[in-house]
Amino acid sequence: MTNLLVTGGAGFIGSNFLNYILEDGEDYNIVNLDKLTYAGNLENLTQIESKKNYHFIKGDIGNYELVNHIFEEFKIQKVINFAAETHVDRSILGSEVFFRTNVIGTNVLLEAAKRFSVEKFLQVSTDEVYGSLGNAGLFTEDTPISPNSPYSSSKASADLMAMSFYRTYGLPVVITRCSNNYGAYQFPEKLIPLMIINALNDKKLPVYGDGMNVRDWIYVIDHNKAVKLALEKGEAGQVYNVGASNEMPNIEIIKLILKRLGKSENLIEYVKDRPGHDRRYAIDSTKIQNELGWKPAFNFEEAIEKTIDWYLGNQVWWQRIISGEYQKYYQLQYEKRNS
Ligand code: NAD
Ligand code: DAU
């Protein structure tokens, strides 16, 4: 039994991870530390909340006393740091909390991990730290870090800091850098759920720029299998890229969603571009495939269908979200900005 601290486990990827790893697994005793920001939702975790080897603590990864208390009390042996502010558009509206959580918060975790000599610290990072690609080429682990948004620069800072703890103190840090995820429980500020929900509500679908920006999509379960492998077998001091070789221009995904929902393309509305908008991401995941034996199991056609069906079948989940603070965010991001 390993005592594992998972941070940000009430968010999209973290909750999918906990539901996956605790489904029938008894190998881990898990503490989920989550601040429950607008993006954190305990409804994502109802299927595992009563498990004996699962404990939820509401709190901030930047809270030094709380974090140290958790390491001591639960004798934490391994850490997966999912917790972060994650939305590029919100980081453009205001960056301070991104640096507070993603950089300072990660520093508090790293310091505690060092003090309590953990066996593994897995920093969940993103392909966005590499910046933007032209029409050709793929991000490898050797691609220079060159982030463009406040969000990605905060994640890049955390990566550099985490690796410095490996080099300076020998803390067994592993970093995964994954491409764009999709699946159940994704907060509807992100492209795929936002477009599904707007289409279901017959609202306009706001496409930034010319709609030809390319993202490399991976189903969240495939990402989480890579996270588990990296936690168990990843080599200290190494970075592993994670991606499913599934590049698509945004407009193609949006049209696919409309078609699947039987809605008209007249709902598409081209709006002002995102400032500093990265043109293309594409991941080379050869290293994790060769060294850890990971490979994606889901193809896009099958998994996007499952994802759309999930949003169709879980309207109460997203209706509660879009009736709250989300409305204010939506107005600020879309209505005021484009008028
Ligand atoms: P999310 O925004 O859905 O969830 C983030 C979670 O972190 C929420 O539960 C939130 O309450 C929690 N949190 C935020 N600030 C916190 C703090 N100070 N202390 C404790 N908890 C805090 O994010 P996600 O999409 O699930 O992303 C998870 C991680 O994966 C992030 O580190 C992100 O950078 C990375 N990532 C995401 C993607 C993607 O496509 N979504 C791709 C690659 C990497
Ligand atoms: O690549 C991994 C990253 O993917 C993660 O690190 C981030 O946490 C995650 O948010 C995601 O970042 P993106 O900026 O790529 O995701 P987003 O869903 O915000 O946007 C995807 C693409 O869709 C991007 O080119 C912008 C475009 N877009 C997005 C929204 C929300 C639109 O055209 N209209 C929109 O309303």
Side-chain angles (χ1 to χ4, degrees):
M1 194 77 143
T2 302
N3 297 327
L4 171 66
L5 173 63
V6 172
T7 70
F12 162 50
I13 303 174
S15 63
N16 274 285
F17 179 81
L18 291 174
N19 287 326
Y20 155 64
I21 201 168
L22 285 167
E23 198 174 14
D24 40 33
E26 299 291 323
D27 298 347
Y28 291 97
N29 184 38
I30 296 185
V31 179
N32 172 15
L33 172 63
D34 195 299
K35 191 180 175 183
L36 298 182
T37 67
Y38 77 92
N41 188 346
L42 292 179
E43 287 176 33
N44 303 0
L45 296 164
T46 46
Q47 68 197 74
I48 54 138
E49 67 191 1
S50 57
K51 299 242 177 201
K52 281 202 195 68
N53 55 336
Y54 170 74
H55 316 267
F56 173 70
I57 296 175
K58 180 172 187 252
D60 192 325
I61 58 166
N63 181 335
Y64 181 89
E65 286 75 25
L66 175 65
V67 165
N68 279 275
H69 170 75
I70 291 170
F71 274 77
E72 187 158 27
E73 181 77 14
F74 291 91
K75 300 188 171 32
I76 296 300
Q77 294 161 294
K78 293 189 178 186
V79 179
I80 305 179
N81 184 26
F82 287 106
E85 288 292 335
T86 62
H87 193 37
V88 173
D89 292 325
R90 289 193 195 242
S91 81
I92 294 166
L93 292 172
S95 66
E96 199 259 342
V97 69
F98 283 74
F99 290 90
R100 201 153 15 97
T101 288
N102 301 1
V103 183
I104 305 296
T106 302
N107 178 256
V108 170
L109 291 172
L110 286 165
E111 283 289 352
K114 169 164 73 80
R115 181 166 310 114
F116 290 91
S117 305
V118 299
E119 293 161 26
K120 187 70 70 72
F121 187 104
L122 177 55
Q123 174 65 8
V124 179
S125 187
T126 166
D127 61 355
E128 294 199 14
V129 301
Y130 297 123
S132 185
L133 290 165
N135 291 335
L138 302 173
F139 294 134
T140 73
E141 290 80 0
D142 297 324
T143 302
I145 302 286
S146 182
N148 292 314
S149 71
Y151 162 68
S152 54
S153 67
S154 70
K155 292 294 289 185
S157 308
D159 284 14
L160 295 176
M161 180 171 48
M163 230 16 119
S164 80
F165 271 63
Y166 166 70
R167 297 199 183 111
T168 307
Y169 307 114
L171 185 73
V173 168
V174 171
I175 296 177
T176 52
R177 293 193 181 130
C178 189
S179 60
N180 286 63
N181 285 224
Y182 64 98
Y185 301 115
Q186 187 166 31
F187 193 88
E189 65 194 351
K190 307 283 163 65
L191 179 80
I192 288 180
L194 186 141
M195 296 300 165
I196 296 172
I197 290 169
N198 279 18
L200 286 171
N201 287 334
D202 293 310
K203 275 185 80 160
K204 290 286 186 191
L205 309 195
V207 181
Y208 298 162
D210 62 2
M212 291 305 290
N213 295 66
V214 170
R215 296 293 181 265
D216 191 351
W217 294 94
I218 181 170
Y219 191 49
V220 64
I221 304 295
D222 278 332
H223 178 190
N224 279 329
K225 286 184 175 166
V227 167
K228 184 166 183 282
L229 262 181
L231 180 76
E232 289 169 354
K233 295 193 187 148
E235 195 186 317
Q238 293 297 311
V239 174
Y240 299 93
N241 282 353
V242 183
S245 303
N246 184 50
E247 288 180 55
M248 288 176 81
N250 297 332
I251 193 68
E252 217 176 281
I253 298 201
I254 291 164
K255 288 184 176 169
L256 182 153
I257 290 169
L258 285 170
K259 189 161 176 222
R260 170 69 176 70
L261 294 175
K263 299 286 181 171
S264 161
E265 288 189 7
N266 291 336
L267 286 176
I268 292 173
E269 180 177 48
Y270 288 90
V271 300
K272 199 156 75 188
D273 207 354
R274 173 186 279 176
H277 196 174
D278 288 336
R279 189 63 174 170
R280 175 172 165 260
Y281 303 146
I283 276 272
D284 180 346
S285 61
T286 309
K287 180 174 171 181
I288 192 168
Q289 301 210 23
N290 289 347
E291 295 184 12
L292 304 187
W294 174 85
K295 67 174 185 337
F298 291 88
N299 68 48
F300 184 76
E301 289 68 29
E302 170 198 358
I304 191 75
E305 189 96 348
K306 273 165 83 82
T307 303
I308 295 172
D309 287 347
W310 188 86
Y311 283 91
L312 281 168
N314 289 276
Q315 304 211 6
V316 174
W317 182 88
W318 56 258
Q319 254 149 9
R320 234 197 300 277
I321 290 172
I322 66 167
S323 63
E325 181 267 358
Y326 184 81
Q327 287 302 327
K328 277 197 211 137
Y329 163 73
Y330 199 92
Q331 251 204 329
L332 192 66
Q333 174 61 20
Y334 295 98
E335 290 162 19
K336 293 203 176 133
R337 189 164 158 243
N338 290 306
S339 60

